[in-house]
Structures are given as structure tokens and as C-alpha cells.
Amino acid sequence: MSRSHRSTRPLLTLALTVFIMLAMLAPVAVAAPEWVHGVVITSPTADDPAFVQPDSSLEVGYTVAIVGTQVDDVWVRVRLQDKYNSVISEVQEIVDAPTLGTGPNDLTSSIYVPWWLASGWYDIVVCVMDYDWDMPPLFCDKVSSAVLVDDTSPWVELVKPAYGAWVTGQDYLMVGTAEDDWAFDGTDIVSVVFEYCVLSNWRAPEGWCGLTDEDWVWIADGVPTPGIPHQYEARWDTSQVPDDEGYVRICATNLVGLTACDWNLVYVQNRYTTSLRPGWNLISTPLVLYDEDIEDVLLHLIAHNSVKQVLTYDRPSGTWHKWTAPAGAPGDTLTKIEDGKGYWIEMAAAEDLTFVGTWSEGMPPTYRVYEDWNLIGYTQWGEPTWWCCNSAFDYLGFPLYQSVESFWRYDAWSEVWVQVYDWSSMVPGAGYWLAVSEDGTINP
């Protein structure tokens, strides 16, 4: 019996011990809170970084994953750090349990970027823990080089048009350069625009333009020049603005929204106006016209019933071509006003005729002339405000001038013929009769 008693007591003692231990552990297992599973930064990321200026706020997005169904408050710490893990800026907050659910929870925090912070790339770190547990694990996520801080404006230069240049043309090419200290995926400039401000814009006081953004008119967006880093270009139809002094500028905006501009004073010239008197006038266009249709060129005169007819002489065929107002009579063969040709125009009343087109840059176009008399025009050579060096000798060219026998223009206002000599200045808007001893080319 004693042997039986001795064999039972150890079993009872062991059972009691196990029961007591389970009783002690049960409350702990029931009371212990479920813990967050982890944290993942959703923005900014290395693939999609944030670009900010100092003294601004940065939004940081992240998710917190919860294990189980019991959720406690979560303590969150968001940091902006440099590459040495030094904390630049930090924000801490408590996320209440009622706002959290099981699974990933999308959360955001706003962190301040100090005004004194040097430009460069910075890291983002987010850490979370269970706020109610004494010794919780700490879950963190870090994204290196997730934030670009930049307080430097781009470097911008307007290359063309140069300062003081005169510009003309429906397809005038503008060129500028723009670059920044920082780049992402090889791109440091996010937008480039070309703009124009005309001095006759009376919104600008004292004849100055560009004091406000309202003074500037968008011309075109700049596009990268193929094969040339940091260069941008655009096309400008200068005929869409008044002929006047003005400023052209290029403005570039970098990744953080800082903008810089460079501008040059220019002279826009797309028009030339000549005064016509009643009766016959001998004229030509000093520009290469955008629209050569005779009724478009004479539109203003036709509307006022001030023009009667226009004639020109075709030397190769030896025939006259005629146009009769208001829209050409049956049998009329003159349909265009072309550069290089002279025209007789009969007026019923005095009126100004404006030509719209492109001035020749450098050498003007070449024109064929033939032995005996030719009715020619004068296409202005060079800058339209600079007449000094456009002599008859310069315009015709040396080879042709050797064969000149007679050269005249008609001054309708004085009703006299004016002989043209070697160094006589060519008159824009005037037509000419030229006699040569052999065939040749103007400005060969």
C-alpha cells in the first residue's frame, strides 16, 4: 500500500504544477495585444522621388500591416535623413486604433524641409510600434535618395535671337540653353517656353515691358535640340505680332518648380509700307511675300476702291500681264505679286500699300534678266532699317553691272524719271527699268 501511495504522489504533483502554470499563462495570452506586421513607404520612392524646395512641406505616404483582429494605437515616427543617417527633420504622431483595420492601412504624414537645408538627395525613414506595449518591436522602412532638395534656379541663356537682332519670318528659329545642378534620369529641366513682350504694349509704364507676367505673350514651347545637350529650340511666326521693338525671352523651370529667364531686345520686321499717289506708280516688294496672291496683297486697296489696275512686263515672252480691279477681268493673266519683279499700279486715290513677308538675310534671291529692257524689282538686302550699303552696284552684282546700258526708276510723287548710277541707293518699294547688253543674273 505504501508502495502504491508513493507511486501516485509524483503524478499528482506534476499535474498540479502543469495546471498552475497554465493558469498563470492563460491571462497573459488573452491580454497580450496583437502586433503590427510591418511598415512600407509608398511615396516618395527611389523610382518616383519627391522634388522640393527648402522651407516647404513634404507628404510621405506609407502602409502599416496589422496581424489578427485586435488593434491598438500605433506610434509613428517619420524622418528626413542625410546620407550619414543624421536626422534633418522629424515628425511623430499617434494613430488611433479606431482608424486602423486589419491588413495594410494607407497613412500619410507631412514633414517639414528646413529653409537652411543644402541642396541634394536625402533619405526617408518611417518607423512604427505598438503604442501600448512596454517592450514592443520597432518596424522601420527606409528609402534612400527619395527626396531631392533644390534651392538653385536653372542656368538659362537665350542664344538666338541675339541682343539687338532684327527678326523676321513665319518660321523664325529661336534657340536657347537651360540646365540645372541636379538631374533625375538625365532630365533636370521640366519645361522651357519662349515668350515675347512688345514695347508698344501700353500696360507697361514708360515704354518698358516685362514688369509683370501679363506683359509677356507665349510664343512656343521649347523642344530639345537633337544631339545637343541642354539646348532647346522653337519656331516663331513673327508676322503674328506688330512690327516694333520688343523683348524675346526663354524661361526654364526645373524639377522643384524654380524658374529662370534670359531675354534680349529685338526688332521685329515683317512689313514694309509704300505710299501710292493717284495715277501711275512703279513699285515692287522689298520682301519675299508670305502670300503672293494679288488680291490678298491689294486687299486693303480693293476694299477702299482705290486701285484700278496692275501691269507687269514679262521679258522672256515679251508680253504684258494685267490685273483689273476688283477681282480681275476676263482675259487678265496677272495673278501674283512676286519679289524681283516691277509693277505698274494705277490708283484712283492716294493710299498706303503694305507688303508682309520676310526680309532677305545676307544675300537676297537671284533673278534672271535678259538682253534689252527688263521691268525688275528691288528685294531689300540685309537689315530693313539699314539702307547705307544697298547701292545699285551692290544689288546687281559685278558681272551683271558690266553689261548695264540704262537703269531708271519712276518717282510718281514728282512725276519724274530718276536715273540710277553705280552708287545710287536702291529704294525699297520702287520698281525699275533695266536695260542690259546681254543675258545675266542679279546677284549671281
Side-chain angles (χ1 to χ4, degrees), residues 41 43-54 56-60 79-82 111-113 117-125 143-150 182 184 256:
I41 298 173
S43 65
T45 64
D47 293 332
D48 187 18
F51 308 109
V52 296
Q53 301 177 35
S56 61
S57 293
L58 169 66
E59 290 295 322
V60 178
R79 286 180 171 177
L80 180 66
Q81 297 183 175
D82 62 18
I111 190 169
Y112 173 67
V113 181
L117 194 59
S119 297
W121 289 95
Y122 292 87
D123 305 334
I124 284 292
V125 178
V143 181
S144 300
S145 299
V147 179
L148 173 62
V149 178
D150 186 7
W182 304 97
F184 176 69
V256 299

Side-chain angles (χ1 to χ4, degrees), residues 124-414:
I124 284 292
V125 178
V126 176
C127 296
V128 299
M129 61 180 288
D130 189 323
Y131 184 70
D132 296 329
W133 204 9
D134 293 335
M135 296 294 293
L138 189 65
F139 293 94
C140 297
D141 189 24
K142 175 182 177 180
V143 181
S144 300
S145 299
V147 179
L148 173 62
V149 178
D150 186 7
D151 65 353
T152 305
S153 297
W155 297 93
V156 181
E157 180 182 6
L158 179 61
V159 177
K160 182 184 179 182
Y163 187 89
W166 63 277
V167 298
T168 180
Q170 289 183 304
D171 195 29
Y172 182 83
L173 176 65
M174 300 177 293
V175 179
T177 58
E179 58 181 309
D180 198 56
D181 291 335
W182 304 97
F184 176 69
D185 288 347
T187 304
D188 49 4
I189 302 297
V190 295
S191 70
V192 172
V193 296
F194 289 88
E195 298 173 314
Y196 178 68
C197 177
V198 60
L199 283 177
S200 61
N201 182 350
W202 292 112
R203 292 178 302 180
E206 301 177 0
W208 182 262
C209 65
L211 298 182
T212 67
D213 287 338
E214 291 182 351
D215 298 326
W216 295 95
V217 176
W218 176 87
I219 299 174
D221 292 328
V223 296
T225 302
I228 304 180
H230 312 300
Q231 180 169 300
Y232 298 82
E233 60 186 50
R235 303 283 176 170
W236 181 21
D237 182 358
T238 62
S239 66
Q240 299 302 306
V241 300
D243 284 5
D244 201 343
E245 293 181 75
Y247 286 85
V248 174
R249 75 177 182 180
I250 178 176
C251 294
T253 303
N254 66 6
L255 292 167
V256 299
L258 294 173
T259 299
C261 302
D262 185 37
W263 54 86
N264 287 331
L265 174 69
V266 297
Y267 304 93
V268 177
Q269 292 282 349
N270 292 285
R271 299 162 183 83
Y272 181 82
T273 299
T274 185
S275 295
L276 306 177
R277 60 153 293 169
W280 287 100
N281 301 259
L282 184 55
I283 68 167
S284 69
T285 169
L287 305 91
V288 178
L289 299 179
Y290 297 138
D291 183 356
E292 296 180 333
D293 184 273
I294 190 169
E295 291 169 19
D296 290 335
V297 176
L298 305 179
L299 181 64
H300 184 66
L301 308 185
I302 295 172
H304 291 180
N305 297 315
S306 58
V307 60
K308 291 183 176 180
Q309 59 181 327
V310 182
L311 296 93
T312 192
Y313 180 65
D314 180 52
R315 177 62 189 82
S317 63
T319 58
W320 286 89
H321 295 282
K322 179 182 178 182
W323 174 86
T324 307
D332 284 356
T333 56
L334 180 58
T335 59
K336 296 181 179 179
I337 300 293
E338 301 176 81
D339 57 282
K341 296 183 179 181
Y343 296 87
W344 283 106
I345 180 169
E346 185 182 12
M347 299 292 294
E351 190 84 73
D352 287 342
L353 173 59
T354 298
F355 299 106
V356 181
T358 302
W359 297 87
S360 296
E361 296 188 53
M363 296 294 291
T366 59
Y367 306 105
R368 190 70 176 163
V369 293
Y370 303 89
E371 181 184 355
D372 208 348
W373 288 100
N374 299 263
L375 185 54
I376 69 169
Y378 167 54
T379 304
Q380 170 63 35
W381 175 6
E383 186 175 349
T385 56
W386 185 248
W387 313 118
C388 78
C389 304
N390 293 315
S391 68
F393 180 83
D394 291 328
Y395 183 66
L396 296 181
F398 176 73
L400 178 62
Y401 207 88
Q402 296 180 96
S403 66
V404 172
E405 294 184 333
S406 191
F407 200 8
W408 298 85
R409 68 177 177 87
Y410 179 66
D411 185 346
W413 290 96
S414 61

